[in-house]
Amino acid sequence: MKSIAKFLKSLLRQNQDMPLVRQNVNFVKKSEEHYKKPIVKKAAPVIYSDLAAKDKLLQETKSFVASIVESADDAIIGETLEGTITSWNKGAEHLFGYKGEEAIGRSISTIYPPELRDELPKMLERLKRGEYITHHQTVRMDKNSKRIPVSLSLSPIKDAKGNVVGVSAIARDISKEKELDRLKDEFISLTSHALRTPLSAIKGLISMIYQGDYGPMNDNLRKPLSNISISTERLIQLVNDLLNISRVQTGKLEFVLSAFNINDPIQKVISQLDPLAKETGIDLKFVAKPHAKVQADVEKTIDILNNLISNALKFTNKGSIEIMVEERDDMVVVMVKDTGIGIADKDKDRLFQKFQQIANPTSKQISGTGLGLYLSKTLANKMGGDVWLVESELKKGSNFAFSLPKSGSKRALEAKQSLLIEINNF
Amino acid sequence: MVNKKKILIIEDDQSLSSAYRAKLSLHYDTRSAITGDEGIKLAHDWMPDLILLDLFLPGKTGQEVLQDFKGHAKTKHIPVIVLTNLEGQCDKMLELGAISCLIKTATSMQDIVQKIEEYLQPEV
């Protein structure tokens, strides 16, 4: 039988273009013998050549897969459903320090730090149900008990009938990414201090000169000092926005969710901005206040409201700004409607992108950082809400909306859970 | 002559430190330290009535300085106002015994003066 197979294989090699017939052949291979035996009985040469080609293809595929597995930098590990290691590539040897012959046959818990061993049964249970676990960031342990941060992707291995018979695990060393994260955090922290301390000094000194702490104030200096003060505030805002964006992107911005009446932060922001509105002759009105309770972070809600109302003030030269609260199903929506210069259709799409500024040709006010709307929307999204443009027409005004989940609603619960998941992933 | 209440300013940024002193010296007796160790020594020797403390200091951190004050019978009663731009640290500082924690860029000189006046009556 061996010689026949050999002969057919060599025949196939000489006749590479021979057509292959696939009918009547069960290609689900269980063992070498399984397909060789019945085929000899049928003695159909075309089928032989087909199977020989299949065998060749299978061998080549196996060898191709094996070469990928062996040359991969990532650790690729095969396990039984009980967690016994069945295969261990060079990447695994390199990452965990165990040779293949040491690792195969041992339990995968060998590379689990003792404090994380509870993870194993839970993971195996999920895999047995056919679930995939992807990009799970955790820690494993090498032969010298050194902790290694890894990103794990685990897949169930299924047999022909779809039964889960084992597990394949890919572990990627993310030490470098973690180190970069740490450096980034350190950089943010240093920047926040290094840039903001001199800014605090400038801010403090300007106010003291203004208030006559260094002697009588010269009237000629009022205007330039006021401009220095506005620029300093703008720089402080820019640094704060950049820090917040960086924190939000790295999941480092902490959200303290609580239930509160949305009217409270609105009143607070209005009272802060009212002097500026009066100065420019704008009527700032809070017209609808249904006492709706939201679930959100109070400080971040104030930041968002401050951004929307300040923008309205910045782009309104005459008329009014109306703030309304509406309840819509699970959400509470705050609308900020102005009679300002409006937004051109071509600008509407880029409103919520980073560093986008819409020019106000009629206003002499110093423009913002171009980060406000982007940050407001990002913060609102994290709390389960949103910020969007309802409508805007040039020379007539704009209407922006800001939504937050109503306290105790299903949406509020989902937002809370989603923030928790995010915290756990970092 | 009326004895002015004493305020110790521990701040490594010299322009900020001198701005605080300029603002406060009319009503208070002020001294400044630019490192944590210097601040601790001055607090023990001079016994101020209130301390303004920055967190990001060369050598000992502001947190270590605060812990030192709160760990010594002689200095533990002195009210400490933390002034920082590391807003994430404020809750911890209040837990450690600071009476207030202000974010520098969000606080005006007047806010600082008002906060001090809650604890110390200025001499006029």
Side-chain angles (χ1 to χ4, degrees):
Chain A
M1 196 174 79
K2 226 174 186 179
S3 61
I4 296 171
K6 210 172 176 182
F7 164 74
L8 287 169
K9 272 185 187 174
S10 72
L11 192 69
L12 183 71
R13 272 198 296 276
Q14 289 161 22
N15 298 284
Q16 295 286 335
D17 299 329
M18 184 187 283
L20 299 180
V21 180
R22 287 175 180 270
Q23 300 96 308
N24 306 325
V25 180
N26 178 12
F27 278 107
V28 178
K29 188 188 126 184
K30 288 181 179 163
S31 70
E32 292 286 310
E33 292 306 307
H34 173 79
Y35 74 84
K36 278 178 187 163
K37 275 179 191 165
I39 289 159
V40 172
K41 277 181 197 162
K42 283 183 188 167
V46 178
I47 296 172
Y48 262 101
S49 58
D50 180 13
L51 281 171
K54 173 78 183 166
D55 187 37
K56 183 169 174 271
L57 191 67
L58 200 66
Q59 284 306 323
E60 281 176 3
T61 310
K62 264 188 176 174
S63 140
F64 177 62
V65 172
S67 74
I68 292 176
V69 169
E70 273 314 290
S71 61
D73 286 336
D74 293 344
I76 303 177
I77 302 163
E79 299 161 32
T80 65
L81 285 179
E82 288 69 45
T84 305
I85 299 166
T86 53
S87 69
W88 187 263
N89 75 338
K90 283 215 169 64
E93 290 187 349
H94 182 71
L95 185 60
F96 299 113
Y98 294 98
K99 288 274 168 210
E101 55 270 28
E102 288 177 276
I104 292 171
R106 281 205 201 195
S107 166
I108 192 70
S109 64
T110 311
I111 58 165
Y112 277 62
E115 66 277 13
L116 290 178
R117 293 218 168 120
D118 290 351
E119 265 189 20
L120 182 57
K122 287 179 201 157
M123 281 191 171
L124 288 173
E125 207 44 56
R126 286 177 62 186
L127 289 153
K128 276 179 199 167
R129 290 198 299 264
E131 279 181 44
Y132 289 76
I133 300 169
T134 51
H135 309 300
H136 171 61
Q137 293 199 2
T138 183
V139 176
R140 292 293 176 259
M141 196 172 70
D142 74 1
K143 202 175 175 182
N144 299 318
S145 301
K146 188 184 149 206
R147 304 308 198 253
I148 305 163
V150 290
S151 170
L152 282 184
S153 288
L154 304 166
S155 316
I157 302 173
K158 294 175 183 174
D159 68 8
K161 288 178 185 162
N163 298 320
V164 181
V165 292
V167 175
S168 76
I170 303 178
R172 194 164 57 84
D173 181 0
I174 52 168
S175 312
K176 279 188 184 144
E177 284 93 327
K178 288 279 165 198
E179 177 61 10
L180 279 175
D181 265 358
R182 197 189 61 74
L183 287 172
K184 191 177 173 188
D185 287 347
E186 204 175 282
F187 175 74
I188 289 170
S189 168
L190 276 172
T191 313
S192 79
H193 187 265
L195 287 175
R196 294 205 286 180
T197 297
L199 284 171
S200 323
I202 297 171
K203 180 179 162 155
L205 288 164
I206 294 169
S207 74
M208 286 166 68
I209 297 172
Y210 221 84
Q211 287 160 13
D213 286 330
Y214 290 103
M217 176 67 184
N218 178 340
D219 271 353
N220 293 338
L221 291 178
R222 278 189 198 279
K223 188 66 192 163
L225 266 181
S226 155
N227 285 341
I228 295 173
S229 176
I230 291 170
S231 296
T232 308
E233 286 301 335
R234 196 177 156 221
L235 203 47
I236 291 173
Q237 191 58 46
L238 180 63
V239 172
N240 289 347
D241 283 354
L242 282 171
L243 284 169
N244 281 335
I245 284 173
S246 173
R247 284 183 189 136
V248 116
Q249 282 172 345
T250 52
K252 293 286 180 321
L253 195 63
E254 208 182 311
F255 288 82
V256 183
L257 298 181
S258 64
F260 57 88
N261 185 337
I262 189 70
N263 295 350
D264 299 341
I266 295 176
Q267 296 281 16
K268 186 172 178 179
V269 173
I270 288 179
S271 66
Q272 279 169 358
L273 294 174
D274 205 40
L276 183 62
K278 286 213 165 69
E279 207 174 286
T280 44
I282 308 291
D283 193 7
L284 189 52
K285 295 184 286 195
F286 188 9
V287 290
K289 348 173 179 178
H291 291 283
K293 258 196 170 178
V294 295
Q295 173 199 276
D297 180 305
V298 186
E299 291 306 316
K300 288 172 187 74
T301 304
I302 290 175
D303 288 347
I304 297 169
L305 288 167
N306 197 27
N307 174 246
L308 294 179
I309 302 173
S310 302
N311 275 350
L313 269 172
K314 200 184 293 172
F315 293 105
T316 305
N317 302 318
K318 60 176 183 193
S320 65
I321 294 165
E322 287 183 353
I323 294 137
M324 289 157 280
V325 177
E326 255 177 47
E327 293 184 66
R328 290 184 200 165
D329 302 322
D330 266 8
M331 308 300 284
V332 174
V333 182
V334 182
M335 303 236 251
V336 180
K337 196 174 176 185
D338 66 53
T339 56
I341 59 165
I343 299 156
D345 285 342
K346 67 176 176 57
D347 292 330
K348 286 179 182 167
D349 287 344
R350 58 186 185 95
L351 268 182
F352 293 96
Q353 292 169 13
K354 266 185 270 187
F355 296 109
Q356 293 298 330
Q357 294 190 51
I358 309 297
N360 177 1
T362 56
S363 166
K364 284 178 186 162
Q365 250 190 28
I366 290 174
S367 53
T369 61
L371 291 168
L373 278 177
Y374 168 79
L375 190 61
S376 291
K377 193 179 176 73
T378 310
L379 292 176
N381 290 161
K382 295 269 174 196
M383 298 189 285
D386 201 5
V387 173
W388 70 98
L389 177 67
V390 181
E391 56 180 344
S392 184
E393 203 178 323
L394 275 178
K395 294 181 185 162
K396 292 210 169 152
S398 306
N399 184 4
F400 279 89
F402 163 34
S403 67
L404 284 173
K406 208 182 272 180
S407 168
S409 68
K410 190 167 166 255
R411 185 63 178 263
L413 190 70
E414 284 166 4
K416 201 179 238 176
Q417 280 167 346
S418 137
L419 270 177
L420 270 177
I421 289 167
E422 198 165 288
I423 290 164
N424 288 335
N425 281 341
F426 282 98
Chain B
M1 179 184 153
V2 183
N3 276 337
K4 286 182 182 172
K5 295 268 169 58
K6 298 186 282 188
I7 297 180
L8 169 61
I9 298 156
I10 309 175
E11 165 64 67
D12 64 324
D13 187 278
Q14 306 239 12
S15 29
L16 202 51
S17 178
S18 71
Y20 293 149
R21 288 191 75 174
K23 186 76 191 172
L24 299 169
S25 56
L26 190 64
H27 303 303
Y28 301 99
D29 190 2
T30 59
R31 286 203 193 173
S32 54
I34 56 169
T35 67
D37 286 316
E38 204 185 320
I40 291 170
K41 187 172 183 306
L42 210 50
H44 282 262
D45 296 348
W46 187 52
M47 289 304 293
D49 298 293
L50 188 139
I51 296 166
L52 293 183
L53 175 65
D54 179 30
L55 288 187
F56 208 83
L57 295 166
K60 266 201 179 76
T61 65
Q63 181 181 329
E64 287 165 334
V65 175
L66 178 62
Q67 282 168 319
D68 187 285
F69 290 152
K70 296 299 160 191
H72 283 89
K74 201 175 165 190
T75 50
K76 78 193 245 195
H77 66 281
I78 305 175
V80 178
I81 297 176
V82 170
L83 288 162
T84 182
N85 279 320
L86 306 170
E87 52 267 82
Q89 298 288 309
C90 270
D91 286 346
K92 201 171 183 184
M93 296 309 123
L94 295 173
E95 267 172 42
L96 289 173
I99 53 162
S100 183
C101 182
L102 302 172
I103 304 303
K104 288 176 187 171
T105 47
T107 310
S108 68
M109 281 290 171
Q110 209 45 48
D111 293 336
I112 298 170
V113 170
Q114 274 172 11
K115 189 50 79 180
I116 292 170
E117 285 176 0
E118 285 177 25
Y119 298 91
L120 293 185
Q121 283 305 308
E123 301 295 342
V124 284

